[in-house]
Amino acid sequence: MANKINMTFDCFTLRQPMIAHIISKCVEATLKAEHITATCEINILVTNDRGIRAINAASRNIDKATDVLSFPMFEMEAGNPPTDWEEYLDPDTEMCPLGDMCISLERAIAQAKEFGHSVKREVGYLTIHSMLHLLGYDHLDEGEQKAQMRTREEAIAATIPGMQRQ
């Protein structure tokens, strides 16, 4: 059974096919790199700064836009996925509902310009970052956890054509 990616765009963009393609590739690459054996379901909203600001305010009480938000369904240990996924599976779908992510395309475009790389790389990187959050990675500190997460992000990105740092 294939992973299910429920992707919604609530902002207009002519880049939608390219954005959807890179998000899907990055979701699959992250699941593979993290040795996830369960069939997963992920909900993804691609929005603009106004949309993500509203979600950030409602969910985290932070009234500002950000680039990506992640809402994991389960607490998992980073880099140590369950060997038995039975307790994580939705009995109706037999899939693991990993959680939700929200990406601000507006912010991704601005950051791509700021960092001097493509929108494709920025959206992909944000997707990998969010997927790692859904799989238990965090970076509450600015030290070891952030470094561990950054290392995984770059390693996964390196496996996807067009995602390497330029």
Side-chain angles (χ1 to χ4, degrees):
M1 189 184 298
N3 294 307
K4 185 174 182 187
I5 303 169
N6 303 312
M7 201 175 316
T8 304
F9 284 76
D10 79 350
C11 58
F12 176 76
T13 176
L14 295 174
R15 299 175 174 169
Q16 185 171 329
M18 181 271 289
I19 300 295
H21 179 73
I22 195 61
I23 289 173
S24 295
K25 283 188 84 66
C26 291
V27 165
E28 294 295 344
T30 305
L31 292 172
K32 181 179 179 186
E34 290 296 303
H35 310 290
I36 305 304
T37 56
T39 301
C40 297
E41 182 173 13
I42 302 104
N43 299 311
I44 302 170
L45 173 65
V46 180
T47 189
N48 55 23
D49 281 356
R50 193 169 98 196
I52 207 166
R53 179 179 180 173
I55 294 166
N56 207 13
S59 62
R60 299 174 62 222
N61 225 14
I62 299 173
D63 189 18
K64 69 177 194 174
T66 188
D67 51 7
V68 66
L69 292 170
S70 310
F71 302 98
M73 183 67 81
F74 305 105
E75 283 191 31
M76 293 189 191
E77 185 182 338
N80 189 22
T83 50
D84 181 6
W85 286 90
E86 197 61 38
E87 68 184 89
Y88 297 93
L89 300 183
D90 178 321
D92 294 332
T93 65
E94 295 190 14
M95 292 183 187
C96 174
L98 277 185
D100 304 332
M101 79 172 68
C102 180
I103 297 172
S104 169
L105 183 56
E106 184 177 350
R107 182 61 48 108
I109 291 168
Q111 287 177 180
K113 188 174 184 178
E114 177 187 338
F115 300 140
H117 55 242
S118 70
V119 172
K120 177 180 174 180
R121 169 159 164 84
E122 187 64 19
V123 169
Y125 191 82
L126 294 174
T127 302
I128 294 167
H129 180 86
S130 186
M131 283 298 296
L132 289 175
H133 278 306
L134 298 184
L135 295 170
Y137 287 79
D138 212 340
H139 54 81
L140 295 176
D141 68 24
E142 288 296 312
E144 188 179 326
Q145 288 180 330
K146 190 169 188 172
Q148 176 193 24
M149 196 165 174
R150 189 64 30 91
T151 299
R152 287 306 298 144
E153 290 164 353
E154 290 298 338
I156 294 165
T159 68
I160 303 166
M163 284 291 299
Q164 296 77 15
R165 282 195 185 270
Q166 291 154 352

